[in-house]
């Protein structure tokens, strides 16, 4: 993990202190990060910071994503199969990426990919010349392990950390964008998530996310049982507005929803 990202982290325990390595280094591969305020300590291994406070609350689908063989086959087989099940057909990855990229614009600060999985979108962003620093957050150790391997193979630089949304372990107003590519429906507490997005974004920073439209009531019950929480545009727009985000936009490719909202800046208030 690069020093430029380490210095932006916030202790997930006390939610005040800035995390610090034992010794300064341009790139932190091993060794703990410590909070000077509450003295909590978090391990770093292979450059991945583990900021989990307790074992992940994994539901049915999430438990499957913790398996190494699933992580290794995620991009080729598992992700297309999930999209086929939820969207009725897998989406072309190039087209999907171009939508996210156009909505992100030119971020004025690091970009955090929440629910990054194996880093499919994050590493592509990181390979763009002149693009901002990219970090990926996920709760699955197996997915992050595969993400590190994929990033190295692609010759990209992505800083990975293990943490569980809705909480985002970054200091206030430090990020240029928060991306949730195909992962918004994994977060149960939408209100808390949007408040966290609002908190960590710099003025003018963007939130870009995708999810799928809620199914009927009978199917919706089964989706919730496996840990999925799809919402419609009206609910998502209201949650973004309640948190203080503005300029809500959506691209509807039924049943896929791709969303964008911004943190107000001097320009947006004019």
């Amino acid at each position: 993990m690069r020093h430029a990202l380490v210095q932006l982290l916030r202790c997930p325990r006390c939610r005040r202190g800035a995390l610090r390595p034992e010794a300064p280094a341009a790139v932190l591969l091993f060794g703990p990060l410590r909070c000077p305020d509450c003295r909590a300590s978090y391990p770093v291994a292979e450059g991945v910071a583990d900021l989990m406070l307790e074992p992940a609350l994994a539901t049915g689908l999430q438990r499957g994503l913790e398996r190494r063989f699933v992580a290794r086959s995620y991009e080729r087989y598992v992700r297309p199969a999930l999209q086929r099940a939820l969207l009725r057909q897998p989406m072309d990855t190039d087209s999907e990426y171009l939508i996210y990229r156009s909505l992100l614009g030119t971020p004025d600060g690091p970009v955090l990919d929440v629910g990054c999985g194996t880093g499919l979108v994050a590493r592509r962003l990181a390979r763009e010349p002149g693009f901002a620093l990219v970090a990926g957050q996920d709760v699955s150790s197996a997915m992050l392990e595969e993400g590190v391997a994929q990033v190295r193979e692609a010759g990209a630089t992505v800083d990975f950390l293990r943490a569980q949304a809705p909480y985002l372990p970054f200091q206030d107003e430090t990020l240029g964008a928060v991306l949730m590519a195909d992962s918004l429906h994994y977060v149960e507490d939408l209100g808390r998530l949007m408040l966290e997005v609002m908190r960590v974004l710099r003025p003018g920073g963007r939130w870009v996310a995708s999810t799928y439209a809620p199914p009927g009531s009978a199917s919706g019950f089964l989706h919730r049982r496996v840990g999925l929480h799809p919402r419609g545009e009206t609910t998502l727009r209201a949650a973004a507005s309640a948190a203080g985000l503005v300029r809500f936009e959506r691209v509807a490719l039924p049943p896929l929803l791709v969303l964008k909202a911004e943190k107000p800046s001097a320009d947006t208030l004019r």
Side-chain angles (χ1 to χ4, degrees), residues 47-108:
V48 179
D50 191 336
L51 305 182
M52 294 290 294
L53 296 177
E54 53 192 32
L57 300 174
T59 52
L61 184 55
Q62 186 62 52
R63 281 196 296 270
L65 297 177
E66 293 285 350
R67 299 179 182 276
R68 282 190 171 85
F69 76 88
V70 172
R72 292 192 185 106
S73 59
Y74 179 75
E75 293 183 15
R76 175 172 280 187
Y77 300 114
V78 177
R79 189 173 190 265
L82 285 173
Q83 287 190 330
R84 196 175 293 111
L86 301 177
L87 305 178
R88 295 192 289 272
Q89 62 180 12
M91 190 172 183
D92 173 68
T93 54
D94 288 336
S95 300
E96 186 181 7
Y97 176 79
L98 288 175
I99 294 173
Y100 299 140
R101 184 65 190 87
S102 64
L103 293 176
L104 283 170
T106 306
D108 181 25

Side-chain angles (χ1 to χ4, degrees), residues 46-262:
E46 294 289 342
V48 179
D50 191 336
L51 305 182
M52 294 290 294
L53 296 177
E54 53 192 32
L57 300 174
T59 52
L61 184 55
Q62 186 62 52
R63 281 196 296 270
L65 297 177
E66 293 285 350
R67 299 179 182 276
R68 282 190 171 85
F69 76 88
V70 172
R72 292 192 185 106
S73 59
Y74 179 75
E75 293 183 15
R76 175 172 280 187
Y77 300 114
V78 177
R79 189 173 190 265
L82 285 173
Q83 287 190 330
R84 196 175 293 111
L86 301 177
L87 305 178
R88 295 192 289 272
Q89 62 180 12
M91 190 172 183
D92 173 68
T93 54
D94 288 336
S95 300
E96 186 181 7
Y97 176 79
L98 288 175
I99 294 173
Y100 299 140
R101 184 65 190 87
S102 64
L103 293 176
L104 283 170
T106 306
D108 181 25
V111 175
L112 174 64
D113 184 0
V114 180
C116 65
T118 56
L120 176 64
V121 178
R123 67 175 179 270
R124 189 160 176 176
L125 290 172
R127 293 186 66 183
E128 286 199 19
F131 196 78
L133 296 176
V134 179
Q137 170 181 327
D138 204 279
V139 70
S140 168
S141 298
M143 299 289 271
L144 292 172
E145 182 181 314
E146 179 66 15
V148 170
Q150 292 280 358
V151 161
R152 287 174 179 168
E153 185 176 332
T157 303
V158 177
D159 297 288
F160 289 106
L161 55 97
R162 184 169 179 253
Q164 188 163 26
Y167 296 107
L168 307 179
F170 283 84
Q171 298 173 43
D172 297 356
E173 298 192 347
T174 52
L175 300 180
V178 174
L179 172 66
M180 302 188 71
D182 204 22
S183 64
L184 179 58
H185 40 270
Y186 287 98
V187 180
E188 182 175 4
D189 192 340
L190 178 63
R192 172 53 61 184
L193 171 70
M194 300 314 301
L195 289 173
E196 283 288 278
V197 169
M198 180 69 176
R199 179 183 66 78
V200 300
L201 283 177
R202 295 178 178 179
R206 295 183 177 184
W207 170 68
V208 175
S210 64
T211 185
Y212 63 100
S217 56
S219 297
F221 174 76
L222 294 176
H223 286 226
R224 290 190 295 274
R225 285 290 300 270
V226 299
L228 296 173
H229 308 278
R231 290 102 172 173
E233 179 188 342
T234 301
T235 299
L236 294 166
R237 182 187 292 270
S241 178
L245 296 172
V246 298
R247 291 186 173 177
F248 184 94
E249 298 178 15
R250 67 100 174 94
V251 178
L253 303 168
L256 180 70
L257 289 173
V258 186
L259 318 159
K260 187 218 82 174
E262 297 181 12

